Amino acid sequence: MNEQSLWSIFVNAALVNNFVLAYFLGICPFLGVSAKIATATRMGGAVMFVMLVSSMCAYAIHHVLIAIGVPFLELIAFIAVIASTVQLVEMFIKKISPVLFRALGIFLPLITTNCAILGLALFQTNKGYGFLQAIVYALGAGIGFTLALVLMAGIREKLELATMPDVVTSTASAIIVAGILSLTFMGFAGLGA
Amino acid sequence: MTARNRQPVMATDEFIKGLWRENPVFVQVLGMCPVLAVSNTALNALAMGLATTFVMLMSNLLVSTLRNFIPKQVRIATYILIIATFVTIVDYAIEAISLDLHKSLGAFISLIVVNCLILGRAEAFASKNRVGHAVLDALGMGIGFTLALLCLGGVREVLGDGALFGVALFPDAFEPWIVMILPSGGFFTLAGWLLVINFIKQRKEANAAGAQEITG
Amino acid sequence: MNVAPATPTWPMYRTLVGIGMLCGLMIAVTFQGTRPVIERNRAEALERAVFAVLPAAIARATFALTAEGQFVPDTNATGQRVHAGFDADGQLVGVAIEAAGMGYADTITVLYGYSPLQEAIVGIRVLTSKETPGLGDKIETDEAFLENFVALDVRLDASGTSLQHRIETVKQGKKTEPWQIDGITGATISSVAIGDILAKSAERWVPTINEHLDRLSAGGQDDGT
């Protein structure tokens, strides 16, 4: 059992060990959909939602697998559950809120291959978080992901018309910006102590 | 993903293309999470590269062998199942070989599962090609990926720790650039390599264009 | 999943179930094959760590603290574990305890050795930490800092239920009392974190261990039952 306080878990997941900028999880959507603030916010929302749901599922799976004595199937179970959770969430949102579905729609399938979701499930298991701790961890990670994505999009919108040398392609410039963001996030270290 | 309608090619070409022309990291910019996260030392980078190569090789082999038995509707689920299996196997193998290595790679071994590169090769190549070609493709891509990881890991370890594979290179007076082993160093090194490669490519194109003008 | 009329359901089930079984089989074989090696490696690593924090020990026995507050020899008992170290004569030289707490960047896990005879912490080893390389990670390498844990006083007070002095981290070079830790300049948070982790853990474990010394000492002979 881990005795870390909820506040400390939250601050650490969102700021100190930001999933994108410190753990490099979810870099693909980070570089892919961070060109506009509006899309970045929606993507962040979708990821946060799926993170919360799959974190709860991962907690349940871990305990079930331990109970029936097949811990080695954990990875396969996580992946299968995340993929089907995304499908379920998609159907669910479509049913209850078509507006939300239109906003998140195209991002949901992308999330299945988002390593941040699987990473969250693996980390919370490794750290031995309890149920409540896991939820707070997922919430923090989701907010941290959204924050990084929106900050990045804000910077990239400003850079769009900037003149750059030929060799600096948009991927290269995005990665440099991410490096600088990652440096600034280091300033948060020590907050969660 | 690169859906290509190419002429039948030489088997060797399937191997070579992953090394440079279609290098998964520097050209396709795929599988970024492990590239950045575990390239802080050359040893970690090498281990990660080899683990990924193994998973890609085995899953390409299996997918290509079974390609006529897998119905289209369930193909992605099947691929993920196969990939996850080999990742689990690699995870246990690394833990058995060296606990320290397993500890420093941490959850990133399991995260090989969601490396888009592997699913990409299974879907775009192995499911449509003969077993021999699929194996060569996986080997080429895997080695290309490993080399790219080593490029990053090498630079980061030399600058950030003054060592390569744990062997100190500089006299004690060398002050390591700690930023290089921190997360941001990963971004900067990758960006640096991308710039170098863009520069080489653009110069080559310019030269080619120049040569064409002369001959034409 | 949609079943297109063109594809009969049978091949889909055949494929998924067949490949699923094949994969399950491969994983199970690997798991069974590597488990003895992994467990041996883990035991060796643990042994090395225990002997590092208890310099006088040459044998160890692991105990788990049950919910009823009793130490039982580690079988499959749940509860936090401690590792008792014994010298060549089978005498208890100390107990190695794992403790964790927040550092600068992430959780720090340490193993420390407590010697009931000296009433002091006699060794420490950082098991996991993600502290900043070159600054915070000095808690693992800085010799002057590790010097603090050769004999760090954790004497119990008269009641025997609490430490007489709480372990505290002070500025580098300002250590005056045996229960103080000389901090590291440039790694303030990390060295204070180590002090806090030890203070909290010692406050909890030292009284418990002293209460059950007989039980733990018996672990050296036979199986301790």
Coordinates of all heavy atoms in Angstrom, one line a residue, chain B residues 58 62 66 68-74 77-79 81-86 88-100 102-103 160 178 181-182, chain C residues 1-8 11-12 14-16 19-24 26-27 30-31 34 37-38 41-43 45 48 126-128 132-135:
Chain B
M58 N 9.2 -10.9 -34.2 CA 8.3 -12.0 -33.9 C 6.9 -11.7 -34.3 O 6.2 -12.6 -34.9 CB 8.4 -12.3 -32.4 CG 9.7 -12.8 -31.9 SD 10.4 -14.1 -32.9 CE 9.5 -15.5 -32.3
L62 N 4.8 -13.8 -37.2 CA 3.5 -14.4 -36.9 C 2.4 -13.9 -37.7 O 1.6 -14.6 -38.3 CB 3.2 -14.3 -35.4 CG 2.3 -15.4 -34.8 CD1 2.9 -16.8 -35.0 CD2 2.1 -15.1 -33.3
L66 N 0.3 -16.0 -40.6 CA -1.1 -16.2 -40.4 C -2.0 -15.3 -41.3 O -3.2 -15.2 -41.1 CB -1.5 -16.0 -38.9 CG -0.8 -16.9 -37.9 CD1 -1.2 -16.5 -36.5 CD2 -1.3 -18.4 -38.2
N68 N -3.3 -15.2 -44.1 CA -4.5 -15.6 -44.8 C -5.5 -16.2 -43.9 O -6.6 -16.5 -44.4 CB -4.0 -16.7 -45.8 CG -3.1 -16.1 -46.9 OD1 -3.3 -14.9 -47.2 ND2 -2.1 -16.8 -47.3
F69 N -5.2 -16.3 -42.6 CA -6.2 -16.9 -41.7 C -6.9 -15.8 -40.9 O -7.9 -16.1 -40.2 CB -5.6 -17.9 -40.7 CG -5.0 -19.1 -41.4 CD1 -3.6 -19.1 -41.7 CD2 -5.8 -20.2 -41.8 CE1 -3.1 -20.2 -42.4 CE2 -5.3 -21.2 -42.4 CZ -3.9 -21.3 -42.7
I70 N -6.4 -14.6 -41.0 CA -7.0 -13.6 -40.1 C -8.0 -12.8 -40.9 O -7.7 -12.1 -41.8 CB -5.9 -12.6 -39.6 CG1 -4.8 -13.4 -38.8 CG2 -6.4 -11.5 -38.7 CD1 -3.6 -12.6 -38.4
P71 N -9.3 -12.9 -40.5 CA -10.3 -12.1 -41.1 C -10.1 -10.6 -40.9 O -9.6 -10.2 -39.9 CB -11.6 -12.5 -40.4 CG -11.3 -13.7 -39.7 CD -9.8 -13.7 -39.4
K72 N -10.5 -9.8 -41.9 CA -10.2 -8.4 -41.9 C -10.8 -7.7 -40.7 O -10.2 -6.8 -40.1 CB -10.7 -7.7 -43.2 CG -9.6 -6.9 -43.9 CD -10.0 -6.5 -45.3 CE -10.8 -5.3 -45.3 NZ -11.6 -5.1 -46.5
Q73 N -12.0 -8.1 -40.3 CA -12.7 -7.4 -39.2 C -12.0 -7.4 -37.9 O -12.1 -6.5 -37.1 CB -14.1 -8.0 -39.0 CG -15.1 -7.6 -40.1 CD -15.0 -8.6 -41.3 OE1 -14.0 -9.4 -41.3 NE2 -15.9 -8.6 -42.1
V74 N -11.3 -8.5 -37.6 CA -10.6 -8.6 -36.3 C -9.1 -8.5 -36.4 O -8.4 -8.9 -35.5 CB -11.0 -10.0 -35.6 CG1 -12.5 -10.0 -35.3 CG2 -10.6 -11.2 -36.5
A77 N -7.3 -6.3 -33.6 CA -7.4 -6.9 -32.3 C -6.4 -8.0 -32.3 O -5.7 -8.2 -31.3 CB -8.8 -7.4 -32.0
T78 N -6.3 -8.8 -33.4 CA -5.4 -9.9 -33.4 C -3.9 -9.4 -33.3 O -3.1 -10.0 -32.6 CB -5.5 -10.7 -34.7 OG1 -6.9 -10.9 -34.9 CG2 -4.9 -12.1 -34.6
Y79 N -3.6 -8.4 -34.1 CA -2.2 -7.9 -34.1 C -1.9 -7.4 -32.7 O -0.8 -7.7 -32.2 CB -2.1 -6.7 -35.0 CG -2.4 -7.0 -36.5 CD1 -2.7 -6.0 -37.4 CD2 -2.4 -8.3 -36.9 CE1 -3.0 -6.3 -38.7 CE2 -2.6 -8.6 -38.3 CZ -3.0 -7.6 -39.1 OH -3.2 -7.8 -40.4
L81 N -3.1 -8.4 -29.9 CA -2.9 -9.5 -29.0 C -1.5 -10.1 -29.2 O -0.8 -10.4 -28.2 CB -4.0 -10.5 -29.4 CG -4.1 -11.8 -28.5 CD1 -4.5 -11.4 -27.1 CD2 -5.1 -12.8 -29.1
I82 N -1.1 -10.3 -30.4 CA 0.2 -10.9 -30.7 C 1.3 -10.0 -30.2 O 2.2 -10.5 -29.5 CB 0.3 -11.1 -32.3 CG1 -0.6 -12.2 -32.7 CG2 1.8 -11.4 -32.6 CD1 -0.7 -12.3 -34.2
I83 N 1.2 -8.7 -30.4 CA 2.3 -7.8 -30.0 C 2.4 -7.8 -28.5 O 3.4 -7.9 -27.9 CB 2.0 -6.4 -30.5 CG1 2.1 -6.4 -32.0 CG2 3.0 -5.4 -29.9 CD1 1.6 -5.1 -32.6
A84 N 1.2 -7.7 -27.8 CA 1.2 -7.7 -26.3 C 1.8 -9.0 -25.8 O 2.5 -9.0 -24.8 CB -0.2 -7.6 -25.8
T85 N 1.6 -10.1 -26.5 CA 2.2 -11.4 -26.0 C 3.7 -11.3 -26.0 O 4.4 -11.6 -25.0 CB 1.8 -12.5 -26.9 OG1 0.4 -12.6 -27.0 CG2 2.3 -13.8 -26.5
F86 N 4.3 -10.8 -27.1 CA 5.7 -10.8 -27.2 C 6.3 -9.8 -26.3 O 7.4 -9.9 -25.8 CB 6.2 -10.6 -28.7 CG 5.9 -11.8 -29.5 CD1 5.0 -11.8 -30.5 CD2 6.6 -13.0 -29.2 CE1 4.8 -13.0 -31.3 CE2 6.4 -14.1 -29.9 CZ 5.5 -14.1 -31.0
T88 N 5.1 -9.0 -23.4 CA 5.2 -9.6 -22.0 C 6.4 -10.6 -21.9 O 7.1 -10.6 -20.9 CB 3.9 -10.4 -21.8 OG1 2.8 -9.6 -22.1 CG2 3.7 -10.8 -20.3
I89 N 6.6 -11.3 -23.0 CA 7.7 -12.3 -23.0 C 9.0 -11.5 -22.8 O 9.9 -11.9 -22.0 CB 7.7 -13.1 -24.3 CG1 6.6 -14.1 -24.3 CG2 9.0 -13.9 -24.5 CD1 6.4 -14.9 -25.5
V90 N 9.2 -10.4 -23.6 CA 10.4 -9.6 -23.5 C 10.6 -9.1 -22.1 O 11.7 -9.1 -21.5 CB 10.4 -8.5 -24.5 CG1 11.4 -7.4 -24.1 CG2 10.8 -9.0 -25.9
D91 N 9.5 -8.6 -21.5 CA 9.5 -8.1 -20.2 C 10.1 -9.1 -19.2 O 11.0 -8.7 -18.4 CB 8.1 -7.7 -19.8 CG 8.0 -6.8 -18.5 OD1 9.1 -6.2 -18.2 OD2 7.0 -6.7 -17.9
Y92 N 9.6 -10.3 -19.2 CA 10.1 -11.3 -18.3 C 11.5 -11.7 -18.6 O 12.4 -11.9 -17.7 CB 9.2 -12.6 -18.3 CG 7.9 -12.4 -17.6 CD1 6.7 -12.5 -18.2 CD2 8.0 -12.1 -16.2 CE1 5.5 -12.3 -17.5 CE2 6.8 -11.9 -15.5 CZ 5.6 -12.0 -16.1 OH 4.5 -11.8 -15.4
A93 N 11.9 -11.7 -19.9 CA 13.2 -12.1 -20.3 C 14.2 -11.0 -19.8 O 15.3 -11.4 -19.2 CB 13.4 -12.2 -21.8
I94 N 13.9 -9.7 -19.9 CA 14.8 -8.7 -19.4 C 14.9 -8.8 -17.9 O 16.0 -8.7 -17.4 CB 14.3 -7.3 -19.9 CG1 14.5 -7.2 -21.4 CG2 15.2 -6.2 -19.2 CD1 14.1 -5.8 -21.9
E95 N 13.8 -9.0 -17.2 CA 13.9 -9.1 -15.8 C 14.8 -10.3 -15.4 O 15.5 -10.2 -14.4 CB 12.5 -9.2 -15.2 CG 12.5 -9.0 -13.7 CD 11.1 -8.9 -13.1 OE1 10.1 -9.0 -13.9 OE2 11.0 -8.6 -11.9
A96 N 14.7 -11.4 -16.1 CA 15.6 -12.5 -15.8 C 17.0 -12.2 -16.1 O 17.9 -12.7 -15.4 CB 15.1 -13.7 -16.6
I97 N 17.3 -11.5 -17.1 CA 18.7 -11.2 -17.5 C 19.3 -10.2 -16.5 O 20.4 -10.5 -16.0 CB 18.8 -10.6 -18.9 CG1 18.4 -11.7 -19.9 CG2 20.2 -10.2 -19.2 CD1 18.1 -11.2 -21.3
S98 N 18.7 -9.1 -16.3 CA 19.3 -8.1 -15.4 C 18.2 -7.3 -14.7 O 17.4 -6.6 -15.3 CB 20.2 -7.2 -16.2 OG 20.4 -6.0 -15.4
L99 N 18.2 -7.4 -13.4 CA 17.2 -6.7 -12.6 C 17.4 -5.2 -12.7 O 16.5 -4.4 -12.8 CB 17.3 -7.1 -11.1 CG 16.4 -8.2 -10.6 CD1 16.5 -8.2 -9.1 CD2 14.9 -7.9 -11.0
D100 N 18.7 -4.8 -12.7 CA 19.0 -3.3 -12.8 C 18.5 -2.7 -14.1 O 17.9 -1.6 -14.1 CB 20.5 -3.1 -12.7 CG 21.0 -3.4 -11.2 OD1 20.2 -3.3 -10.3 OD2 22.2 -3.7 -11.1
H102 N 16.1 -3.9 -15.9 CA 14.7 -3.9 -15.9 C 14.1 -2.7 -15.1 O 13.2 -2.1 -15.4 CB 14.2 -5.2 -15.2 CG 12.7 -5.4 -15.3 ND1 11.9 -5.1 -14.3 CD2 11.9 -5.8 -16.3 CE1 10.6 -5.4 -14.6 NE2 10.6 -5.8 -15.9
K103 N 14.9 -2.4 -14.0 CA 14.5 -1.3 -13.2 C 14.6 0.1 -13.9 O 13.8 0.9 -13.8 CB 15.3 -1.3 -11.8 CG 14.5 -0.8 -10.7 CD 15.2 -1.1 -9.4 CE 16.1 0.0 -9.0 NZ 16.9 -0.2 -7.7
G160 N 25.9 14.5 -21.2 CA 25.3 14.6 -19.9 C 26.0 13.9 -18.8 O 25.8 14.2 -17.6
I178 N 24.2 18.5 -17.4 CA 23.2 17.7 -16.8 C 21.8 17.8 -17.5 O 21.1 16.8 -17.6 CB 23.0 18.1 -15.3 CG1 24.2 17.6 -14.5 CG2 21.7 17.5 -14.7 CD1 24.4 18.2 -13.2
I181 N 20.7 14.7 -19.7 CA 20.0 13.5 -19.2 C 18.6 13.8 -18.6 O 17.9 12.9 -18.4 CB 20.8 12.7 -18.1 CG1 22.0 13.5 -17.6 CG2 21.3 11.4 -18.7 CD1 22.8 12.8 -16.6
L182 N 18.3 15.0 -18.5 CA 16.9 15.4 -18.0 C 16.0 15.2 -19.2 O 16.4 15.2 -20.4 CB 16.9 16.8 -17.5 CG 17.8 17.0 -16.3 CD1 17.8 18.5 -15.8 CD2 17.4 16.1 -15.1
Chain C
M1 N -18.8 -5.5 -32.2 CA -18.1 -5.6 -33.5 C -19.1 -6.0 -34.6 O -19.9 -6.9 -34.4 CB -17.0 -6.6 -33.4 CG -15.8 -6.3 -34.3 SD -14.3 -6.9 -33.7 CE -14.2 -6.2 -32.1
N2 N -19.0 -5.3 -35.7 CA -19.9 -5.6 -36.8 C -19.5 -6.9 -37.6 O -18.3 -7.0 -37.9 CB -20.0 -4.5 -37.8 CG -20.8 -3.3 -37.2 OD1 -21.8 -3.6 -36.5 ND2 -20.4 -2.1 -37.4
V3 N -20.4 -7.7 -37.8 CA -20.1 -8.9 -38.6 C -20.6 -8.7 -40.0 O -21.8 -8.6 -40.3 CB -20.7 -10.2 -38.1 CG1 -20.3 -11.4 -38.9 CG2 -20.3 -10.4 -36.6
A4 N -19.7 -8.4 -40.9 CA -20.1 -8.2 -42.3 C -20.6 -9.5 -42.9 O -20.0 -10.6 -42.6 CB -18.9 -7.7 -43.1
P5 N -21.6 -9.5 -43.7 CA -22.2 -10.8 -44.2 C -21.2 -11.6 -45.0 O -21.3 -12.8 -45.0 CB -23.4 -10.3 -45.1 CG -23.3 -8.8 -45.2 CD -22.4 -8.3 -44.1
A6 N -20.2 -10.9 -45.6 CA -19.3 -11.6 -46.5 C -18.4 -12.5 -45.7 O -18.0 -13.6 -46.2 CB -18.4 -10.6 -47.2
T7 N -18.1 -12.2 -44.4 CA -17.3 -13.0 -43.6 C -18.1 -13.8 -42.6 O -18.8 -13.3 -41.8 CB -16.3 -12.2 -42.8 OG1 -15.7 -11.2 -43.7 CG2 -15.2 -13.0 -42.2
P8 N -18.0 -15.2 -42.7 CA -18.7 -16.0 -41.7 C -18.2 -15.8 -40.3 O -17.0 -15.4 -40.2 CB -18.5 -17.4 -42.2 CG -17.6 -17.3 -43.3 CD -17.3 -15.9 -43.7
P11 N -14.7 -18.2 -38.9 CA -13.3 -17.9 -39.0 C -12.8 -16.9 -38.0 O -11.7 -16.9 -37.5 CB -13.1 -17.3 -40.4 CG -14.3 -17.8 -41.2 CD -15.4 -17.9 -40.2
M12 N -13.8 -15.9 -37.7 CA -13.4 -14.9 -36.7 C -13.2 -15.5 -35.4 O -12.2 -15.2 -34.7 CB -14.5 -13.9 -36.6 CG -14.2 -12.6 -37.5 SD -15.6 -11.5 -37.6 CE -16.0 -11.3 -35.9
R14 N -12.6 -18.6 -34.8 CA -11.4 -19.6 -34.9 C -10.1 -18.8 -34.7 O -9.3 -19.2 -33.9 CB -11.5 -20.2 -36.2 CG -10.4 -21.3 -36.5 CD -10.3 -21.6 -37.9 NE -9.9 -20.4 -38.7 CZ -10.0 -20.3 -40.0 NH1 -10.4 -21.3 -40.7 NH2 -9.6 -19.2 -40.6
T15 N -10.0 -17.7 -35.4 CA -8.8 -16.9 -35.3 C -8.5 -16.4 -33.9 O -7.5 -16.5 -33.4 CB -8.8 -15.7 -36.3 OG1 -9.3 -16.2 -37.5 CG2 -7.5 -15.1 -36.5
L16 N -9.5 -15.7 -33.4 CA -9.3 -15.0 -32.1 C -9.0 -16.0 -31.0 O -8.1 -15.8 -30.3 CB -10.6 -14.2 -31.8 CG -10.6 -12.8 -32.4 CD1 -11.8 -12.0 -31.9 CD2 -9.3 -12.0 -32.1
I19 N -5.5 -17.8 -31.8 CA -4.4 -17.0 -31.5 C -4.3 -16.7 -30.0 O -3.2 -16.7 -29.4 CB -4.4 -15.8 -32.4 CG1 -4.2 -16.2 -33.8 CG2 -3.3 -14.8 -31.9 CD1 -4.1 -15.0 -34.8
G20 N -5.5 -16.4 -29.4 CA -5.5 -16.2 -28.0 C -4.9 -17.3 -27.2 O -4.1 -17.1 -26.3
M21 N -5.3 -18.5 -27.6 CA -4.7 -19.7 -26.8 C -3.2 -19.8 -27.0 O -2.5 -20.1 -26.1 CB -5.4 -21.0 -27.2 CG -6.8 -21.1 -26.5 SD -7.8 -22.4 -27.2 CE -6.8 -23.8 -26.9
L22 N -2.8 -19.6 -28.3 CA -1.4 -19.7 -28.6 C -0.6 -18.7 -27.8 O 0.4 -19.0 -27.2 CB -1.2 -19.4 -30.1 CG 0.2 -19.5 -30.7 CD1 0.7 -20.9 -30.6 CD2 0.3 -18.9 -32.1
C23 N -1.1 -17.5 -27.8 CA -0.4 -16.4 -27.0 C -0.4 -16.7 -25.5 O 0.6 -16.6 -24.9 CB -1.1 -15.1 -27.3 SG -0.9 -14.5 -28.9
G24 N -1.6 -17.1 -25.0 CA -1.6 -17.5 -23.6 C -0.6 -18.5 -23.2 O 0.1 -18.4 -22.2
M26 N 2.2 -19.2 -24.8 CA 3.6 -18.7 -24.9 C 3.9 -17.9 -23.7 O 5.0 -18.1 -23.1 CB 3.7 -17.8 -26.2 CG 3.9 -18.6 -27.4 SD 4.5 -17.6 -28.8 CE 3.1 -16.6 -29.1
I27 N 3.0 -17.1 -23.2 CA 3.3 -16.3 -22.1 C 3.4 -17.1 -20.8 O 4.3 -17.0 -20.0 CB 2.1 -15.2 -21.8 CG1 2.1 -14.2 -23.0 CG2 2.3 -14.5 -20.5 CD1 1.1 -13.2 -22.8
T30 N 6.8 -18.8 -20.8 CA 7.9 -17.8 -20.5 C 7.8 -17.5 -19.0 O 8.9 -17.5 -18.3 CB 7.7 -16.5 -21.2 OG1 7.3 -16.8 -22.6 CG2 8.9 -15.7 -21.2
F31 N 6.6 -17.3 -18.5 CA 6.5 -16.9 -17.1 C 7.0 -18.0 -16.2 O 7.9 -17.8 -15.3 CB 5.0 -16.7 -16.8 CG 4.7 -16.3 -15.3 CD1 5.1 -15.1 -14.9 CD2 4.0 -17.2 -14.5 CE1 4.9 -14.7 -13.6 CE2 3.8 -16.8 -13.2 CZ 4.2 -15.6 -12.7
T34 N 11.0 -18.3 -16.6 CA 11.8 -17.2 -16.1 C 11.7 -17.0 -14.6 O 12.5 -16.4 -14.0 CB 11.6 -15.9 -16.8 OG1 10.2 -15.6 -16.7 CG2 12.0 -15.9 -18.2
V37 N 14.5 -17.9 -12.1 CA 15.7 -17.0 -12.3 C 15.4 -15.6 -11.7 O 16.2 -15.0 -11.0 CB 16.0 -16.8 -13.8 CG1 17.3 -16.0 -14.0 CG2 16.1 -18.2 -14.5
I38 N 14.2 -15.1 -12.0 CA 13.9 -13.7 -11.5 C 13.8 -13.7 -10.0 O 14.4 -12.8 -9.4 CB 12.5 -13.3 -12.1 CG1 12.6 -13.1 -13.6 CG2 12.0 -12.0 -11.4 CD1 11.3 -12.8 -14.3
N41 N 17.4 -13.8 -8.7 CA 18.0 -12.5 -8.9 C 17.5 -11.5 -7.8 O 18.2 -10.8 -7.2 CB 17.6 -11.9 -10.2 CG 18.4 -12.5 -11.3 OD1 19.4 -13.3 -11.0 ND2 18.1 -12.2 -12.6
R42 N 16.1 -11.5 -7.6 CA 15.6 -10.6 -6.6 C 16.1 -10.9 -5.2 O 16.5 -10.0 -4.5 CB 14.0 -10.8 -6.6 CG 13.4 -10.0 -7.6 CD 11.9 -9.8 -7.4 NE 11.3 -9.2 -8.5 CZ 10.1 -9.4 -8.9 NH1 9.3 -10.3 -8.3 NH2 9.6 -8.8 -9.9
A43 N 16.2 -12.2 -4.9 CA 16.7 -12.6 -3.5 C 18.1 -12.1 -3.4 O 18.5 -11.6 -2.3 CB 16.5 -14.1 -3.3
A45 N 19.6 -9.7 -5.0 CA 19.7 -8.2 -4.9 C 19.3 -7.8 -3.5 O 19.9 -6.9 -2.9 CB 18.8 -7.6 -5.9
R48 N 22.1 -8.6 -1.0 CA 23.2 -7.6 -1.1 C 22.8 -6.3 -0.4 O 23.7 -5.7 0.3 CB 23.5 -7.3 -2.6 CG 24.6 -8.2 -3.2 CD 25.2 -7.5 -4.5 NE 24.2 -7.1 -5.4 CZ 23.7 -7.9 -6.4 NH1 24.1 -9.2 -6.4 NH2 22.8 -7.5 -7.2
V126 N 19.8 3.8 -1.0 CA 18.6 4.2 -1.8 C 18.3 3.2 -2.8 O 19.1 2.8 -3.6 CB 19.0 5.6 -2.5 CG1 17.8 6.0 -3.3 CG2 19.3 6.6 -1.4
L127 N 17.1 2.7 -2.7 CA 16.7 1.6 -3.7 C 16.1 2.2 -5.0 O 16.5 1.8 -6.1 CB 15.6 0.7 -3.1 CG 16.0 0.0 -1.8 CD1 14.8 -0.9 -1.3 CD2 17.2 -1.0 -2.1
T128 N 15.2 3.2 -4.9 CA 14.8 3.9 -6.1 C 14.7 5.3 -5.8 O 14.2 5.8 -4.8 CB 13.4 3.4 -6.5 OG1 12.5 3.5 -5.4 CG2 13.4 2.0 -7.1
T132 N 17.2 14.7 -9.3 CA 17.9 15.3 -10.4 C 19.4 14.8 -10.4 O 20.1 14.9 -9.4 CB 18.0 16.8 -10.1 OG1 16.8 17.2 -9.6 CG2 18.3 17.6 -11.4
P133 N 19.8 14.3 -11.6 CA 21.2 13.8 -11.7 C 22.1 14.9 -11.4 O 21.9 16.1 -11.9 CB 21.3 13.3 -13.2 CG 19.9 13.2 -13.6 CD 19.0 14.1 -12.8
G134 N 23.2 14.6 -10.7 CA 24.2 15.7 -10.4 C 23.9 16.5 -9.2 O 24.8 17.1 -8.6
L135 N 22.6 16.6 -8.8 CA 22.3 17.4 -7.6 C 21.6 16.5 -6.6 O 22.3 16.1 -5.6 CB 21.4 18.6 -8.0 CG 22.0 19.6 -9.0 CD1 20.9 20.6 -9.5 CD2 23.1 20.4 -8.3

